[in-house]
Amino acid sequence: MNFMQIIRNTKWNTIYKKSLNKMGMIGFSFLFVFILSCQETKNKSGKLNVVSTTNIFTDLVHHIGGDSIQLQGLMGAGVDPHLYKASEGDVSKLANSDIIFYGGLHLEGKMVDIFERMKSTNKITVELGAALDTNQLIESENFGGNYDPHIWFNVSFFKQMADKVTEVLSETDPESANYYAENNAKYQKELDELDVYIRAKIETLPKEKRILVTAHDAFSYFGRDYGFEVLGLQGISTATEAGVKDVQRLRDFIIDNQIKAIFIESSVPRRNIEALQKAVEKDGHQVEIGGSLYSDALGSTDSQEDNYIGMFKYNVNTIVEALK
Amino acid sequence: MSLFNIFIELFTDTTLRTITIGTMVLGAASGMLGSFAVLRKESLLGDAISHAALPGIILAFMFTGSKESYILLIGALIVGLIGTLWIRGIIHTTQLKTDAALGLILSIFFGFGMLLLTYVQKLPDANQAGLDKYLFGQAATLVSQDVYILGGVTMFALLVLFLFWKEFKIMLFDADYAKTLGFNVKFIDILITFFIVLTIVLGLQTVGVVLMSALLLAPAAAARQWTNSLSKMVALAALIGALAGLIGTGISASEDNLSTGPVIVIVASALVLFSFIFSPIRGILFQQIRLHQNRNNLEQMKTLQLMFNIAVKHKDFTHPHSIGILNNFRGFTKYSLNKMVEKEWIQISGNQWNLTESGFKEAKEMFHSNTKDHE
Amino acid sequence: MEKDRIAIRVDDLTVAYNYKPVLWDIDLVIPEGVMMAIVGPNGAGKSTLIKAILDIVKPIAGSVQVFGKPYKNQRKLVAYVPQKGSVDWDFPTTAIDVVLMGTYGSLGWIKRPGLAEKKAALEALEKVDMLSFKDRQISQLSGGQQQRVFLARALVQNASIYIMDEPFQGVDATTEIAIVNILKELRKAGKTLVVVHHDLQTVPEYFDWVTFLNVKKIATGPINDIFNDDNLTKTYGINYKVAIQK
């Protein structure tokens, strides 16, 4: 083992290290360029650039705006709006838009500051929940002034929101106002039909079985409107943790009322409801998982439930069939 | 609900029972295996591995599309082990010391995990998998299956611990020496690390990524204060861990809106604080008491010496003197004088004191060399 | 004196950390029955030499033979006394527990120390005059007492070769004398002693062989032949006079 061999080894390693550095630099440059090129560019087609949050609202805006607008939704199927954190890409989409529609009432709990920022730059930022009369909303027991944001499960609210969207689009783009009005009229009819369908379907379920247990308190408006008693494991926002007491309480409730089925939701951890089911079973009773309901988001594109009306029908069908 | 009733309910209510047993077993396992992390001065390792596990959970979901917890946890285990390997690798091949390596891996992996979380929230099934619940854990959804797995792993760990007890001991104390005896130190090292990572991963469901390291370290740190024997320390750590689980679950179950995981960690930390202050051998309180006692003893001895030097100037050493003579001596207090009366070294009547037989003897033996010098 | 067997033979041993040579091409022959001091300035590689012999540190070249066979096959014949500072004395264990560790090698995996081992440990503690401290927590021992416990642990191994790393560092005068006497007894019994020593002054007094080390082996052999100004200068530079200043 002589000195020269060691020296040679040393040189090799230095060169290896140096080349790694060069590779690193090149790699980083590529990444940088890539990120830069991902910037949203303002659309050149001349259409209104509209951005909405959950795909429920996106569906609504789509039915009114149709081909006259360039519409983007931030949240897709199965995405939980309560916990959703906007990425830089989302913020630039919002910044480059002409109109922003969002649910509000703290539904998009982690984006409140962003909406404030957008409003302060005089961008048209519309809180759909604010279009409704607060007297009709369900107010929180403990935190007055805060309302349940799951307003889309009341069809008449949804109709009011459709009117609001029409109003805003028409104001901003008067040329297409007629087009928007037509779409709205058509959609209002469909929504009325939906309401009829829901009531008819629910009629087939005996009154005493109309109890709905889900993963979080998303269905209060549904319950109030259509005569269901509704309980959620987590609270109004999925940011709350299901505590032991909540599990115990619901478990006892399920057993006392001999409830046949409970429901998971597509955008909420299923583990909670599964744990509730096991808790009930441990006490010697049976309860099924009746299915997965769409609560804060629609189903995936190209499924039957990728639109509001389809989703609502699916929910009601699932609920009624499971509880019969 | 009264305190007693709460704790009865912990074991009678079926749901609570599962959760309570689960947290107690987890606490015991964490205490047991955390002892090794603490003794190896690798406390931060637990923190690094828990945080590193986050991307593992998310990647497992992304690759398999499964929302089953055992699959997610296998992902956590694999990435946790990779993180550990990288930590060792960094320490061995670069100039970085252990704490730098740990901090580096912790931040990089956890940051990557958070990045994945924001990316994955757009994927359809992600929320159903409840990925971000692993940050702080969700003890309320522990089911029997989880508890069985926890129990099984703990039993296995106990068995291994029992078999290889002396190997663990010597490896923790003096790894170099152990090598010279022919022990495959690497094997034991991997064994310990594997169990630590496993425990961390199992604990993620209950206390979550961010808090797991506290559960790993607190019981062991508390136990260390109460004993100087390794076996007692490990056993005590397991006990303290289980206790934290029990009390934590009890407290969080009695109130709405108290997350179980964080409460368990707070209870464990309270136990550590208690141990640091009140432990008889190493606790601060008793150290202060002992310090105080020593100071008092010293004071008494010095006073006695002074009295002795005064007394021997007389033929009869029990000759009384006025207390006033001692005034120039800064070391005496009424308290020490009384103590000396108690010990029957001196007698006091009015403002006079005199040395007793036993006091004289005591002083003479104490300062044997002094008297020699004077003669 | 005739030295027939070679206790330790080191050939071409080279150790490097981060491309910096710490030990360079060491050739060393340690005959059986000598009491050898290894001396050199700071950073000379003395501890590294010990650790490389004991396979604790991997050399990049070279070999070590103990009584003619590779070290790995002869572990039972060699007892190691590491530096006091290499261990955390706050570890929860007692003096006798530490000494018992010396028996682990002969027990092998899983087996626990039994009565025979306990007896041997007690005898070793007695020899180093620490029997009354056997149940003392090691953090409560003084530096000299800790060193004695380490020595007792090595004694229990009944080895033929004892390798010690600075056993007199930070130790009171009484303990130093006591340890030296035990070492001398060992040598009388035919054991080989290799000791990294920090105090040049006592080298001729305690040892009969010496190795001068400064990354390279400067010189090795009996004290009378090797411990001279020439080698001292070669090893320490012109500062050696300071090193052995009274």
Side-chain angles (χ1 to χ4, degrees):
Chain A
M1 176 46 62
N2 65 62
F3 217 67
M4 279 313 294
Q5 274 186 309
I6 301 285
I7 298 271
R8 240 179 281 142
N9 276 340
T10 309
K11 265 237 173 86
W12 258 118
N13 279 311
T14 326
I15 294 176
Y16 181 49
K17 273 189 182 162
K18 280 218 176 107
S19 73
L20 261 186
N21 276 338
K22 275 223 180 86
M23 294 269 274
M25 293 310 306
I26 296 176
F28 269 120
S29 337
F30 268 124
L31 201 62
F32 192 57
V33 171
F34 182 61
I35 290 175
L36 278 179
S37 66
C38 278
Q39 286 259 337
E40 291 294 324
T41 49
K42 248 197 151 98
N43 87 74
K44 303 182 174 81
S45 64
K47 290 194 209 162
L48 272 182
N49 203 330
V50 182
V51 174
S52 57
T53 52
T54 75
N55 54 5
I56 296 176
F57 298 125
T58 310
D59 184 54
L60 174 62
V61 176
H62 172 70
H63 271 97
I64 308 293
D67 300 322
S68 269
I69 60 173
Q70 191 95 343
L71 178 60
Q72 287 176 89
L74 295 181
M75 306 176 201
V79 175
D80 184 338
H82 299 288
L83 304 174
Y84 186 82
K85 297 193 237 319
S87 63
E88 273 311 300
D90 292 335
V91 175
S92 65
K93 273 192 198 139
L94 291 168
N96 287 328
S97 68
D98 298 312
I99 307 178
I100 300 173
F101 286 110
Y102 68 103
L105 303 175
H106 284 275
L107 173 71
E108 300 92 346
K110 310 232 179 234
M111 292 181 65
V112 175
D113 288 339
I114 295 178
F115 295 137
E116 290 302 310
R117 228 195 302 155
M118 294 293 138
K119 281 186 194 149
S120 71
T121 63
N122 289 325
K123 191 174 295 296
I124 303 174
T125 314
V126 182
E127 183 179 353
L128 288 171
L132 307 168
D133 178 8
T134 53
N135 288 327
Q136 303 208 314
L137 297 178
I138 298 178
E139 193 170 351
S140 158
E141 288 174 7
N142 298 324
F143 306 100
N146 285 308
Y147 302 96
D148 183 336
H150 300 88
I151 43 189
W152 51 92
F153 279 125
N154 178 318
V155 178
S156 75
F157 286 170
F158 210 68
K159 288 171 60 168
Q160 289 176 52
M161 289 193 280
D163 287 334
K164 180 73 180 177
V165 171
T166 315
E167 178 191 319
V168 173
L169 287 179
S170 304
E171 264 177 35
T172 325
D173 182 12
E175 288 177 7
S176 311
N178 287 336
Y179 177 62
Y180 299 141
E182 266 174 41
N183 289 341
N184 189 18
K186 212 168 34 156
Y187 199 48
Q188 294 281 337
K189 264 237 262 346
E190 289 180 39
L191 291 174
D192 287 329
E193 282 166 21
L194 173 65
D195 191 61
V196 170
Y197 177 90
I198 294 172
R199 292 187 190 280
K201 186 75 189 183
I202 289 176
E203 270 308 304
T204 69
L205 184 65
K207 273 220 178 76
E208 64 278 5
K209 291 200 178 177
R210 294 182 197 168
I211 308 181
L212 181 61
V213 176
T214 66
H216 82 294
D217 285 334
F219 292 92
S220 303
Y221 290 113
F222 170 80
R224 187 180 68 174
D225 230 17
Y226 298 104
F228 262 80
E229 186 173 359
V230 168
L231 289 121
L233 187 51
Q234 285 171 281
I236 286 187
S237 166
T238 51
T240 60
E241 182 182 310
V244 176
K245 276 212 152 159
D246 298 310
V247 175
Q248 287 177 303
R249 209 181 302 132
L250 268 180
R251 172 202 62 194
D252 295 336
F253 180 81
I254 292 170
I255 295 175
D256 289 341
N257 290 289
Q258 296 187 332
I259 297 181
K260 201 174 144 219
I262 58 181
F263 301 85
I264 54 180
E265 297 171 29
S266 72
S267 53
V268 176
R270 57 192 303 162
R271 189 182 144 95
N272 300 348
I273 289 290
E274 285 174 348
L276 179 58
Q277 180 190 36
K278 296 222 177 80
V280 171
E281 282 170 6
K282 269 210 142 179
D283 264 356
H285 295 262
Q286 289 292 4
V287 68
E288 299 181 346
I289 296 203
S292 175
L293 300 178
Y294 297 96
S295 54
D296 292 333
L298 302 173
S300 28
T301 351
D302 297 339
S303 68
Q304 290 260 0
E305 301 84 36
D306 71 346
N307 61 84
Y308 172 72
I309 293 179
M311 175 270 270
F312 215 138
K313 282 196 182 154
Y314 172 87
N315 274 357
V316 176
N317 289 341
T318 310
I319 294 171
V320 171
E321 290 308 313
L323 290 176
K324 265 211 186 118
Chain B
M1 215 196 272
S2 84
L3 207 63
F4 186 62
N5 283 334
I6 296 175
F7 284 98
I8 294 288
E9 206 199 323
L10 282 179
F11 290 101
T12 51
D13 180 289
T14 50
T15 316
L16 264 182
R17 183 167 55 210
T18 312
I19 298 174
T20 307
I21 295 182
T23 55
M24 284 177 75
V25 171
L26 178 67
S30 305
M32 208 166 69
L33 293 162
S35 306
F36 294 114
V38 167
L39 287 172
R40 287 215 283 192
K41 309 278 189 213
E42 277 184 342
S43 307
L44 202 57
L45 182 71
D47 207 11
I49 297 178
S50 335
H51 283 76
L54 182 65
I57 295 171
I58 304 172
L59 285 170
F61 169 76
M62 285 169 69
F63 283 146
T64 65
S66 162
K67 308 165 218 167
E68 293 293 327
S69 50
Y70 67 88
I71 294 199
L72 301 181
L73 290 180
I74 289 179
L77 184 64
I78 294 176
V79 175
L81 288 171
I82 292 178
T84 317
L85 262 162
W86 282 20
I87 291 171
R88 299 255 193 260
I90 291 179
I91 297 176
H92 274 149
T93 57
T94 73
Q95 316 274 40
L96 290 176
K97 294 264 161 47
T98 311
D99 56 355
L102 290 171
L104 203 67
I105 294 295
L106 190 158
S107 327
I108 293 178
F109 276 55
F110 188 67
F112 183 50
M114 290 306 285
L115 183 75
L116 285 178
L117 260 186
T118 40
Y119 168 73
V120 125
Q121 66 180 343
K122 284 195 187 265
L123 297 180
D125 275 337
N127 287 115
Q128 279 209 314
L131 296 174
D132 59 347
K133 291 299 175 201
Y134 283 95
L135 279 175
F136 290 102
Q138 196 164 52
T141 55
L142 269 181
V143 291
S144 303
Q145 189 192 30
D146 302 320
V147 180
Y148 291 148
I149 297 178
L150 259 173
V153 169
T154 308
M155 284 287 117
F156 182 54
L158 250 175
L159 182 67
V160 170
L161 214 62
F162 181 72
L163 278 179
F164 295 106
W165 181 252
K166 75 171 197 292
E167 282 79 3
F168 284 140
K169 207 187 327 188
I170 193 175
M171 212 219 79
L172 288 172
F173 178 61
D174 196 348
D176 281 347
Y177 181 69
K179 269 191 221 163
T180 69
L181 291 182
F183 286 105
N184 186 346
V185 169
K186 220 179 186 168
F187 169 67
I188 306 174
D189 185 19
I190 292 177
L191 205 58
I192 296 183
T193 310
F194 175 72
F195 273 114
I196 292 180
V197 176
L198 194 58
T199 310
I200 291 175
V201 165
L202 288 173
L204 292 182
Q205 301 172 82
T206 314
V207 266
V209 157
V210 175
L211 299 174
M212 185 60 205
S213 72
L215 194 60
L216 194 69
L217 305 172
R224 181 68 187 93
Q225 305 305 309
W226 298 91
T227 174
N228 281 322
S229 142
L230 183 63
S231 48
K232 291 206 186 86
M233 174 182 165
V234 173
L236 194 58
L239 209 69
I240 293 179
L243 197 64
L246 178 67
I247 298 179
T249 308
I251 293 178
S252 93
S254 65
E255 290 293 324
D256 281 326
N257 296 326
L258 279 183
S259 244
T260 313
V263 174
I264 294 178
V265 167
I266 290 180
V267 171
S269 312
L271 289 171
V272 172
L273 197 63
F274 179 80
S275 305
F276 276 175
I277 297 178
F278 292 103
S279 143
I281 26 174
R282 292 157 70 107
I284 297 178
L285 181 66
F286 284 93
Q287 266 183 24
Q288 291 291 28
I289 292 179
R290 274 194 294 268
L291 188 67
H292 213 59
Q293 279 174 347
N294 281 339
R295 250 194 245 133
N296 283 337
N297 276 340
L298 199 64
E299 208 177 83
Q300 290 160 36
M301 280 169 30
K302 281 162 69 178
T303 313
L304 186 65
Q305 180 186 24
L306 177 68
M307 290 174 164
F308 181 79
N309 286 335
I310 295 174
V312 290
K313 296 205 176 91
H314 300 254
K315 267 218 355 238
D316 174 17
F317 60 77
T318 60
H319 182 99
H321 307 267
S322 118
I323 292 183
I325 295 187
L326 304 171
N327 270 336
N328 283 333
F329 177 50
R330 269 168 46 212
F332 92 103
T333 60
K334 195 151 188 215
Y335 176 77
S336 49
L337 279 185
N338 287 335
K339 277 276 164 201
M340 289 163 79
V341 171
E342 258 177 57
K343 291 190 190 168
E344 290 181 8
W345 287 355
I346 62 173
Q347 285 168 337
I348 294 187
S349 50
N351 65 340
Q352 302 273 332
W353 62 268
N354 68 293
L355 211 55
T356 63
E357 278 262 8
S358 55
F360 180 82
K361 228 182 24 194
E362 183 76 34
K364 194 146 181 243
E365 280 165 19
M366 208 188 286
F367 302 105
H368 186 67
S369 50
N370 277 355
T371 35
K372 271 222 143 126
D373 289 339
H374 286 179
E375 279 163 8
Chain C
M1 217 153 91
E2 185 94 63
K3 309 278 190 272
D4 349 355
R5 290 212 294 172
I6 295 182
I8 298 182
R9 182 193 193 92
V10 177
D11 287 308
D12 302 332
L13 197 64
T14 304
V15 176
Y17 291 143
N18 294 326
Y19 313 116
K20 214 172 42 158
V22 177
L23 281 180
W24 196 258
D25 203 13
I26 307 286
D27 292 316
L28 194 58
V29 167
I30 305 179
E32 185 181 17
V34 305
M35 189 150 140
M36 170 190 278
I38 300 184
V39 295
N42 282 334
K46 308 190 289 289
S47 283
T48 313
L49 176 59
I50 300 278
K51 289 189 180 163
I53 292 175
L54 293 166
D55 197 32
I56 294 173
V57 157
K58 288 260 178 288
I60 54 179
S63 67
V64 175
Q65 296 206 318
V66 172
F67 292 123
K69 300 210 187 87
Y71 166 68
K72 288 193 186 129
N73 303 354
Q74 306 275 59
R75 286 187 193 274
K76 294 225 163 91
L77 299 176
V78 183
Y80 176 43
V81 182
Q83 282 189 24
K84 235 183 329 102
S86 65
V87 141
D88 177 20
W89 291 93
D90 200 33
F91 192 82
T93 187
T94 56
I96 182 148
D97 258 347
V98 174
V99 177
L100 270 172
M101 288 183 193
T103 66
Y104 287 4
S106 56
L107 288 171
W109 290 92
I110 299 181
K111 249 179 97 188
R112 302 281 178 106
L115 283 169
E117 284 78 20
K118 284 226 178 72
K119 190 157 156 272
L122 290 170
E123 280 172 12
L125 276 173
E126 168 99 67
K127 222 198 214 127
V128 299
D129 203 20
M130 286 286 292
L131 193 54
S132 48
F133 292 87
K134 69 176 168 68
D135 292 320
R136 193 70 67 89
Q137 154 72 11
I138 53 180
S139 63
Q140 295 168 349
L141 300 176
S142 73
Q145 292 169 332
Q146 287 170 349
Q147 193 63 269
R148 291 191 218 211
V149 169
F150 258 11
L151 183 57
R153 182 175 72 174
L155 288 176
V156 137
Q157 290 179 254
N158 276 326
S160 308
I161 304 174
Y162 289 79
I163 302 188
M164 314 171 81
D165 200 344
E166 303 207 8
F168 303 108
Q169 180 73 269
V171 145
D172 58 279
T174 329
T175 304
E176 181 160 335
I177 295 173
I179 294 182
V180 170
N181 287 335
I182 296 176
L183 295 188
K184 288 200 165 144
E185 255 179 58
L186 286 174
R187 194 194 49 171
K188 246 201 243 158
K191 312 285 186 189
T192 312
L193 298 152
V194 180
V195 179
V196 171
H197 196 59
H198 71 288
D199 183 18
L200 271 183
Q201 215 173 315
T202 45
V203 167
E205 190 186 327
Y206 294 165
F207 300 94
D208 57 5
W209 271 56
V210 68
T211 298
F212 283 99
L213 187 68
N214 193 349
V215 183
K216 296 212 188 79
K217 180 195 78 177
I218 308 292
T220 181
I223 291 278
N224 295 333
D225 302 337
I226 304 294
F227 196 78
N228 52 45
D229 280 0
D230 192 31
N231 284 327
L232 281 164
T233 317
K234 277 203 201 132
T235 311
Y236 289 86
I238 35 181
N239 294 322
Y240 83 88
K241 288 245 189 237
V242 177
I244 57 172
Q245 196 81 231
K246 171 92 167 97

